[in-house]
Amino acid sequence: MSNEPRPSAAHHFLDGLVEAGIEHLFSNLGTDHVSLIEAMAQFRREGRPQPNVILCPHENVAIHMAGGYAAATGRGQGVMVHVDAGTANAAMGMHNLFRSRWPVLLMAGKSPFTMRGELRGSRDNYVHFVQDPFDIGSIVRPYVKWEYSLPTGATTKEVLRRAHTVMQSDPPGPVYLTLPRETLAEEWDARQVASFPAERYGPVKAGGIPASAARDIAQALMQARKPVVITSYLGRSAKAVAALEALASECGICITEFMPTSMCVSRSSPSFAGFDPAKALAGADLCLLLDVDVPWLPQFTKPDAGTRFIHIDVDPLKQDFPMWGFATHLRLQADCGEALTDILDSVRMQAHDAFREKVRQRTSCWAADGKERAQATAAAAANPGSSGAVSPAYVCAAIQRAISATDIVVNEAIRNSASVLTQIQRTVPGTLVGCAGGGLGYSGGIALGVKLARPAQRVVQIVGDGGFHFSTPTSVYAVAQRYKLPILTVVLDNGGWQAVKEAVLRVYPKGEASEANDFQAQLGGEVRRFDQVAQAFGAHGEYVTEPGEVEQALQRCLQAVDSGRAAVMHVRVGTI
């Protein structure tokens, strides 16, 4: 019998990650990962394939980098964090990825369960006692599709395959795996740790819709007087964008995006109708809800009683929303790219001259509507603002002129999102990335993940000052510098949280806070220089307080990005 040491479970774990298709591990490691770190060093010496480790000084960046990579590629990656502490730091990001339906495998070590050296990896540090909660999974349980703790090294590859399959299956989303330190240190022969190939154990994807449903929806579209579409995240599939634009052209459908997290229709398309669902629904007799979580705000928008609603979505049930509340006449779980292609084929089979004439007449007014929106956009862009209060629309219009159609915009402007969406007019699928979650501070990490996935494209992050604070910016620019991921960050600084002020005014429009102009939302101080935060980690910085400074400062930032350095342009857009 051989006296050669058997490989550790950590060794098999790295193999299992590769077999599952994990390319990157966005990591903040700790004492729980000693066996993995040892195995990584061995793999590196032997030239064995293993995931690329990207060390992130804060888990907020790690989890959102994984989200950005998934948004750009559809492929979920691994995030490795330290016990309950790292899990807690990643929890808000897990919320964001969960609501955005981006796959990620979050892995946390667990404090050793043996205390006296009974097994390799037993407790040998004070911190092992205090980082051992009763229920570590409870930290992220509301935000995962699946959770598990690796029970033994013998099942390592099967557990990883299961985790990957669940996170990639529709609707995709985060999963969580914990790794006891002693389990990773176990030794197992290779023949004892079986592989589980994707061909037999892989993810399940949504498909099209039944032929009868495609035919019925096609007939409804052909009979409709004013058909409209409301969508938000259909644009994560280029095939779905193309199918929607073709169907809209064939049937004369206006397309509205509400709170979009991707570009669902080209802004140059005649079918694009803006971002106001109330305007879209006025007089509509048929509305297709396509890949959308919240199609309108019921408190402010009341659809016509006679409107028929058809909902096609990768997740039409909204199974993870305790309450949803949007009535529909037909609800179908499907891939919108497949479903809309089926509907389009059915329309073309049934179309006749009278229908085509009706479409022609309906679409004849679209040019006027588009011209009206373009004039409003241009008027907003023409107003530069004033000293210390540069207009956000003016800034975003300058960005539109400076970047290309294929550059990618990551939007976390929050109260200024309207300026981003109307002024920076995306026409290519995949060039707008937003987040469907409610946790601010995501765009820095997402921008880095997108840049890692799309190194040939510029990535422009637009964020408010509150979001910049939340983003753990020193970690963002440390990662950008170390891994050569030059992103451009534009901070629209209004001195606090405009959303808080607006929320108070909606509920108490003439209340005490309004009278005193005191909303507990201002973050101002004697010195506020976000550009200098980035400069501390090698990035180029610009501080803009005058409208006349915007163009040249932006050009210097883009030159820095194109030369391989991250850049931050801090723009004062007034105070709340």
Side-chain angles (χ1 to χ4, degrees):
M1 190 168 180
S2 174
N3 291 321
E4 287 291 319
R6 296 183 297 174
S8 68
H11 176 112
H12 299 299
F13 194 88
L14 293 181
D15 277 341
L17 289 172
V18 172
E19 290 179 10
I22 300 297
E23 305 156 76
H24 301 284
L25 285 178
F26 304 99
S27 302
N28 191 305
L29 303 173
T31 59
D32 40 331
H33 299 119
V34 292
S35 295
L36 284 169
I37 294 169
E38 179 70 10
M40 288 173 182
Q42 180 186 350
F43 274 44
R44 191 174 300 110
R45 176 177 58 79
E46 296 176 353
R48 296 173 61 96
Q50 62 177 310
N52 175 42
V53 176
I54 295 179
L55 295 179
C56 300
H58 196 282
E59 294 84 356
N60 181 62
V61 171
I63 193 72
H64 286 117
M65 280 191 75
Y69 196 92
T73 65
R75 301 192 301 273
Q77 301 302 305
V79 175
M80 189 74 71
V81 300
H82 177 46
V83 293
D84 58 338
T87 301
N89 278 347
M92 183 52 70
M94 289 289 276
H95 157 85
N96 284 335
L97 271 61
F98 185 65
R99 289 301 183 208
S100 300
R101 297 181 185 81
W102 291 330
V104 66
L105 169 55
L106 177 65
M107 295 164 283
K110 290 187 71 175
S111 286
F113 51 81
T114 56
M115 301 187 191
R116 298 171 179 85
E118 299 93 333
L119 299 172
R120 173 176 283 182
S122 287
R123 294 185 183 185
D124 57 14
N125 192 302
Y126 162 84
V127 78
H128 293 155
F129 287 83
V130 300
Q131 292 178 332
D132 186 21
F134 285 110
D135 187 3
I136 188 173
S138 66
I139 300 172
V140 293
R141 190 166 296 131
Y143 316 128
V144 298
K145 296 177 65 181
W146 174 94
E147 64 165 304
Y148 199 60
S149 184
L150 183 65
T152 170
T155 61
T156 294
K157 293 184 179 180
E158 185 171 14
V159 168
L160 285 171
R161 173 56 66 191
R162 179 63 175 165
H164 187 270
T165 291
V166 173
M167 77 174 183
Q168 292 288 159
S169 292
D170 284 333
V175 296
Y176 182 60
L177 177 63
T178 53
L179 309 169
R181 195 163 89 147
E182 293 94 334
T183 303
L184 289 174
E186 292 173 0
E187 294 180 352
W188 294 89
D189 289 333
R191 66 179 181 274
Q192 296 175 290
V193 186
S195 295
F196 293 81
E199 293 76 16
R200 297 184 62 195
Y201 298 91
V204 176
K205 293 295 183 181
I209 58 178
S212 59
R215 185 168 56 251
D216 290 346
I217 296 170
Q219 291 174 355
L221 286 168
M222 294 176 67
Q223 294 166 5
R225 182 185 68 260
K226 182 188 174 183
V228 300
V229 161
I230 300 176
T231 183
S232 173
Y233 59 90
L234 170 144
R236 63 186 183 181
S237 163
K239 178 179 179 179
V241 174
L244 175 58
E245 291 182 351
L247 182 65
S249 177
E250 193 80 16
C251 296
I253 306 171
C254 286
I255 304 169
T256 295
E257 295 180 3
F258 184 56
M259 302 296 290
T261 56
S262 57
M263 188 213 78
C264 304
V265 57
S266 170
R267 306 304 182 240
S268 64
S269 170
S271 301
F272 175 61
F275 306 98
D276 184 356
K279 183 176 181 180
L281 288 169
D285 58 339
L286 177 65
C287 177
L288 301 187
L289 303 177
L290 304 176
D291 279 345
V292 59
D293 288 333
V294 182
W296 61 84
L297 298 179
Q299 184 173 345
F300 306 110
T301 299
K302 311 294 183 185
D304 295 349
T307 306
R308 183 185 180 195
F309 289 95
I310 298 173
H311 189 185
I312 306 173
D313 201 311
V314 72
D315 179 20
L317 180 61
K318 308 306 171 189
Q319 55 194 332
D320 297 302
F321 288 56
M323 297 293 291
W324 193 58
F326 296 91
T328 57
H329 298 85
L330 177 63
R331 193 174 298 176
L332 298 166
Q333 183 170 16
D335 176 279
C336 276
E338 300 288 340
L340 297 179
T341 299
D342 295 341
I343 295 167
L344 177 61
D345 290 343
S346 186
V347 167
R348 286 172 172 167
M349 289 177 61
Q350 301 178 60
H352 45 71
D353 290 344
F355 165 68
R356 295 189 183 95
E357 176 59 21
K358 182 170 70 170
V359 170
R360 188 195 67 76
Q361 292 179 8
R362 183 160 61 228
T363 59
S364 62
C365 66
W366 284 2
D369 292 342
K371 184 177 180 181
E372 182 180 340
R373 286 196 308 276
Q375 288 173 341
T377 299
N383 175 16
S386 59
S387 178
V390 184
S391 161
Y394 183 80
V395 175
C396 291
I399 295 171
Q400 166 70 12
R401 292 190 296 271
I403 66 175
S404 75
T406 57
D407 290 342
I408 299 171
V409 174
V410 180
N411 179 21
E412 193 183 1
I414 311 301
R415 291 301 102 185
N416 289 311
S417 277
S419 293
V420 174
L421 295 174
T422 56
Q423 299 294 338
I424 309 178
Q425 300 192 1
R426 303 287 79 198
T427 58
V428 177
T431 58
L432 174 67
V433 180
C435 173
L440 297 184
Y442 55 80
S443 58
I446 287 177
L448 291 172
V450 170
K451 183 63 178 179
L452 181 67
R454 299 280 183 263
Q457 294 170 263
R458 281 184 185 150
V459 178
V460 180
Q461 169 205 4
I462 304 175
V463 63
D465 52 306
F468 188 87
H469 279 297
F470 284 135
S471 71
T472 57
T474 57
S475 181
V476 169
Y477 301 105
V479 171
Q481 178 178 230
R482 176 170 181 180
Y483 296 102
K484 296 181 172 51
L485 298 171
I487 59 173
L488 168 60
T489 301
V490 178
V491 184
L492 302 178
D493 175 13
N494 63 11
W497 288 295
Q498 181 76 26
V500 175
K501 177 180 178 179
E502 291 179 359
V504 174
L505 291 174
R506 284 196 299 271
V507 180
Y508 299 103
K510 298 181 180 179
E512 296 282 350
S514 176
E515 290 294 325
N517 192 32
D518 183 6
F519 300 96
Q520 303 297 328
Q522 289 184 315
L523 296 174
E526 292 182 7
V527 179
R528 289 169 60 81
R529 293 295 299 270
F530 299 127
D531 56 311
Q532 292 180 354
V533 175
Q535 286 174 329
F537 292 88
H540 176 79
E542 296 280 347
Y543 182 55
V544 176
T545 61
E546 303 293 332
E549 299 170 345
V550 170
E551 294 276 359
Q552 291 188 354
L554 181 58
Q555 286 301 321
R556 289 191 292 269
C557 285
L558 289 173
Q559 288 169 6
V561 168
D562 292 344
S563 71
R565 293 174 66 199
V568 171
M569 188 169 83
H570 175 184
V571 186
R572 293 296 299 270
V573 296
T575 56
I576 64 171

